[in-house]
Amino acid sequence: MKTLLTIYTLWQRELVRFYRQPSRVVGALASPLLFWVLIGSGIGTSFQGHMVNRSMNYLEFFFPGTLLMILLFTAIFSTISIIEDRREGFLQSVLVAPVPRSSIVFGKVLGGATLACSQAVLFLIAVPFLGLHINLWQFLAMTVVLMISAITLTSLGFIIAWKMNSIQGFHAIMNLFLMPLWMLSGALFPPEGASGWLRWMMKLNPLTYELTILRRILYGNNLLSLQLPSMKLSVTVMMIFGAIVFSLATYVVSVRDSKNLV
Amino acid sequence: MVVQIKNLHFAYAGRQALRGVSFDAAPGNILGLLGPNGSGKTTLFRILSTLMLPADGTVTICGFDVAREVVKVREKIGIVFQSPSLDPKLNVQENIQHQGHLYGLYGSELQKRSEELMKRLGVLDRKKEIVSKLSGGLKRRVELAKGLLHRPTVLILDEPSTGLDPGARIDLWNYLKQLRDQENITILVTTHLMEEAEHCNALVIMNHGQVVGSGTPESLKSEISGGVVILKAAHNSEIASSQKTLLAITNPSVIASPAAVILSEAKNLGINSAKQSQSDALEALHESIQKKFQVKGLILEGELQIEHAEGPKLMAKILETFPGQIESVTFRRPTLEDVFIHKTGHRFWNEKL
């Protein structure tokens, strides 16, 4: 009961803080659309027909990548809230509460993931107007995958943010680590076009597999010219990676030392 | 004993913050942890509030070990942090609600308890207000409400009057005393303010990570028998009497010159040297008194303080022996500050400066 209450209360707080900041709401809704249209059309018309088969244009190719980007950005913003919580002091009263550390992590992560996932889903709803078509089954399957990926990415951000005390430092890590993770997931270009070492990095990148699942659900067999990992492998990687990252987040929170401070 | 601390050690990256702290807190008391910045009291607070683990030694609260039975300890303690622990973007009620959920309270029970506390702390009419808009005093009341929500046995406060105006301070201490007397809550307060220490019924004085004294404020003060004699040295007469001072303010070659010449020279040296000569005069006086009466004092801010069992008698003797060298002399009963000087050998704020 206590665990559920903790998760609920931290999750709910995350949502309340989000909609009390109108600029965050507007930014979250408008920026992915802008990204997709600008990058998608820009790159698409410049490098036409180069990378993908004829049945898929670049806007379509880039669409799952945009979904992943929405998740990544929102997850990053919500993990910045960990640093804010620490600086504003709210975190210290959470840390001394008689609740399991995993419920603290889960509450925070679930809050961030819910925000990230609902933005991605909103973007998904806009799809028919943008000339793409998905059915209900695809929509539901994508929502589940998006939620799992969102939890994973938020946990990842959480681990990084936990030891940080400045938002500037977090931005540096974000540009050096999280952005490349996204770029090398196959979001912008398929692995076939990349050089050997890059292809290997893409293969080792867990996000590649999350993106693959999204791609496979969206486009089914319309991917013949793309060499993607199998669905089975992708789902396995997604689940294992998610579990590892979440456990690690719980671990860093449960360590009581002089750095756990405000 | 509600809180038991035995031989507690803690170090930050090689720097020893606590070196063998031991003391107990009896139920229904307000225990003050008194010490300058850097004395280790904040480290102790963090260990008591379960944010950090003891490196060595044991701490038990209500019989539960802070290292091994942390959840039990956390249920028993309420904490009021020095830095705010409220979410500034939420309102008063929301803040208290989240706190309640973290302690397993919910629904109508939580509603009732939070209304009760907000009413008692006088923030009920502000419950819909966003916290960032509240004054420092009101924020502290909300913090207190948060700390008390789950009816803790021990309330731990870290420098609770930081940032409060005098009125709010009085309110706070009245409320803490009420809690002690009416609800039998044991209260631990860290502070560096002597006036706050006077409100406590038990004190533990810390310095350099060790306990240097403990007891009630009265018993600590009575350790200094008699009182304190405070002397200010006369400025001019000293120049004629102490050759040592001349050395400090003038060239050695003029030692033989008449005092009047030296005086004018000293004036030319400006205000700094005047101050210098005054402190030299005081030191010279200190030395003479030490020789004559075998008592040792401390020079603090231009005053010589001598702790003595028979203060008034000593005062009379000094006046008799060194007429003309003394500007003023006062005698007072010992204060907690004197106890602190006695225990640590330096003035309270010296460490910070």
Side-chain angles (χ1 to χ4, degrees):
Chain A
M1 189 65 209
K2 222 174 214 178
T3 306
L4 286 178
L5 263 176
T6 306
I7 295 172
Y8 163 75
T9 211
L10 294 177
W11 170 80
Q12 190 243 8
R13 172 173 169 269
E14 217 58 35
L15 303 194
V16 169
R17 277 172 69 95
F18 177 76
Y19 68 70
R20 291 238 170 113
Q21 292 166 277
S23 60
R24 259 180 91 183
V25 180
V26 173
L29 293 179
S31 60
L33 203 62
L34 208 65
F35 259 99
W36 182 60
V37 173
L38 292 184
I39 298 182
S41 337
I43 297 183
T45 46
S46 306
F47 304 96
Q48 219 157 22
H50 242 295
M51 25 192 39
V52 206
N53 61 353
R54 279 179 210 94
S55 59
M56 186 188 280
N57 66 30
Y58 190 77
L59 268 179
E60 283 175 294
F61 175 82
F62 186 48
F63 185 77
T66 312
L67 287 174
L68 199 61
M69 185 189 65
I70 296 172
L71 293 187
L72 189 70
F73 277 6
T74 323
I76 285 168
F77 278 121
S78 61
T79 40
I80 283 179
S81 78
I82 273 284
I83 301 171
E84 269 178 3
D85 284 354
R86 195 183 284 281
R87 288 204 308 193
E88 289 170 359
F90 180 79
L91 191 62
Q92 52 187 353
S93 61
V94 176
L95 285 176
V96 299
V99 294
R101 306 293 97 169
S102 56
S103 65
I104 296 177
V105 178
F106 201 55
K108 282 292 288 184
V109 164
L110 204 62
T114 305
L115 292 173
C117 186
S118 28
Q119 279 164 49
V121 167
L122 269 176
F123 190 59
L124 213 52
I125 291 169
V127 155
F129 304 100
L130 304 165
L132 297 171
H133 300 284
I134 51 169
N135 61 33
L136 186 66
W137 179 85
Q138 284 173 306
F139 180 78
L140 291 178
M142 301 241 347
T143 306
V144 172
V145 175
L146 286 171
M147 192 62 194
I148 295 171
S149 307
I151 290 175
T152 308
L153 289 172
T154 316
S155 308
L156 191 64
F158 193 100
I159 297 167
I160 300 168
W162 188 253
K163 293 282 173 185
M164 304 234 147
N165 45 25
S166 82
I167 290 172
Q168 287 87 337
F170 187 77
H171 277 295
I173 296 278
M174 183 184 100
N175 288 333
L176 276 170
F177 176 66
L178 295 175
M179 283 306 286
L181 214 56
W182 173 74
M183 284 182 216
L184 295 181
S185 67
L188 284 166
F189 52 85
E192 295 88 85
S195 57
W197 64 275
L198 211 57
R199 210 178 299 172
W200 264 105
M201 289 190 70
M202 291 173 83
K203 231 176 207 166
L204 294 173
N205 181 357
L207 293 199
T208 304
Y209 300 89
E210 298 183 352
L211 191 75
T212 299
I213 301 171
L214 293 175
R215 233 187 249 298
R216 283 191 178 276
I217 296 171
L218 255 179
Y219 301 122
N221 293 325
N222 198 6
L223 300 157
L224 294 172
S225 71
L226 290 171
Q227 292 166 10
L228 296 176
S230 73
M231 194 66 156
K232 223 183 212 168
L233 175 66
S234 302
V235 172
T236 313
V237 172
M238 175 175 80
M239 299 310 283
I240 291 176
F241 182 58
I244 290 175
V245 171
F246 182 75
S247 321
L248 219 63
T250 311
Y251 171 75
V252 293
V253 175
S254 58
V255 176
R256 268 197 285 167
D257 62 13
S258 55
K259 278 178 195 142
N260 259 3
L261 296 170
V262 188
Chain B
M1 290 296 156
V2 182
V3 179
Q4 284 184 303
I5 300 172
K6 280 198 194 96
N7 196 28
L8 181 63
H9 284 81
F10 192 88
Y12 298 96
R15 189 177 64 80
Q16 283 283 324
L18 296 175
R19 8 179 147 213
V21 171
S22 303
F23 67 86
D24 296 335
N29 268 315
I30 299 183
L31 183 133
L33 283 170
L34 190 62
N37 298 347
S39 60
K41 65 182 192 305
T42 303
T43 305
L44 182 57
F45 168 81
R46 286 171 180 167
I47 290 173
L48 286 171
S49 60
T50 72
L51 282 171
M52 297 192 317
L53 279 169
D56 198 16
T58 54
V59 178
T60 58
I61 295 176
C62 301
F64 301 112
D65 188 297
V66 295
R68 286 179 288 111
E69 297 156 294
V70 68
V71 175
K72 290 264 172 34
V73 170
R74 283 173 177 156
E75 280 165 359
K76 295 286 178 196
I77 56 175
I79 295 161
V80 179
F81 293 94
Q82 182 188 358
S83 55
S85 74
L86 303 171
D87 185 333
K89 292 194 177 77
L90 302 181
N91 69 32
V92 173
Q93 195 178 23
E94 288 166 333
N95 262 290
I96 294 178
Q97 235 156 34
H98 283 304
Q99 178 80 3
H101 290 155
L102 291 174
Y103 284 83
L105 295 166
Y106 60 95
S108 57
E109 191 196 352
L110 173 59
Q111 179 77 16
K112 213 180 127 209
R113 176 74 179 147
S114 72
E115 296 266 327
E116 179 192 321
L117 271 173
M118 284 192 283
K119 194 173 168 191
R120 239 184 114 170
L121 286 157
V123 289
L124 190 58
D125 53 333
R126 315 292 283 266
K127 69 178 182 184
K128 294 283 176 202
E129 216 158 311
I130 297 291
V131 163
S132 60
K133 290 181 181 141
L134 295 179
S135 70
L138 285 175
K139 275 185 197 158
R140 196 55 52 93
R141 289 187 196 192
V142 181
E143 300 264 6
L144 208 53
K146 261 181 75 171
L148 290 167
L149 199 60
H150 61 290
R151 302 177 197 276
T153 316
V154 182
L155 185 67
I156 307 173
L157 304 99
D158 191 15
E159 316 223 338
S161 37
T162 307
L164 296 188
D165 61 52
R169 274 183 199 199
I170 293 168
D171 278 357
L172 175 78
W173 278 99
N174 283 340
Y175 190 69
L176 291 182
K177 284 175 185 168
Q178 261 181 46
L179 283 175
R180 174 193 61 192
D181 299 337
Q182 292 168 15
E183 301 187 23
N184 204 33
I185 293 180
T186 307
I187 301 173
L188 258 65
V189 186
T190 70
T191 184
H192 55 229
L193 301 172
M194 298 300 169
E195 77 217 50
E196 291 206 339
E198 297 276 0
H199 289 291
C200 303
N201 16 31
L203 286 174
V204 171
I205 301 180
M206 291 185 63
N207 194 37
H208 295 306
Q210 284 171 319
V211 174
V212 291
S214 60
T216 64
E218 290 69 34
S219 72
L220 280 167
K221 278 187 262 184
S222 68
E223 279 181 32
I224 299 182
S225 44
V228 183
V229 177
I230 301 159
L231 291 159
K232 269 188 174 169
H235 181 50
N236 288 343
S237 64
E238 167 275 333
I239 289 178
S241 67
S242 170
Q243 298 256 310
K244 201 170 160 266
T245 316
L246 298 178
L247 279 167
I249 59 163
T250 62
N251 194 304
S253 65
V254 293
I255 287 175
S257 326
V261 178
I262 298 161
L263 252 180
S264 72
E265 267 199 45
K267 255 182 204 164
N268 290 339
L269 287 170
I271 294 160
N272 276 342
S273 64
K275 258 192 187 161
Q276 182 65 43
S277 76
Q278 194 156 17
S279 84
D280 285 343
L282 200 61
E283 253 165 58
L285 183 65
H286 186 198
E287 218 167 275
S288 325
I289 291 172
Q290 234 172 313
K291 262 186 207 155
K292 179 87 183 157
F293 302 108
Q294 278 80 48
V295 293
K296 207 170 161 3
L298 260 176
I299 292 178
L300 297 165
E301 287 168 14
E303 292 175 345
L304 174 60
Q305 298 197 2
I306 305 167
E307 205 188 293
H308 200 266
E310 290 175 335
K313 272 189 190 163
L314 177 73
M315 195 163 111
K317 278 189 208 158
I318 291 172
L319 276 172
E320 213 174 296
T321 322
F322 304 103
Q325 281 189 48
I326 288 156
E327 171 90 31
S328 71
V329 57
T330 351
F331 171 78
R332 62 168 163 75
R333 310 281 313 156
T335 62
L336 276 177
E337 200 163 334
D338 297 322
V339 174
F340 194 86
I341 295 164
H342 177 82
K343 298 282 183 197
T344 65
H346 62 66
R347 193 164 179 113
F348 206 58
W349 281 102
N350 269 6
E351 292 227 326
K352 198 194 175 189
L353 297 172

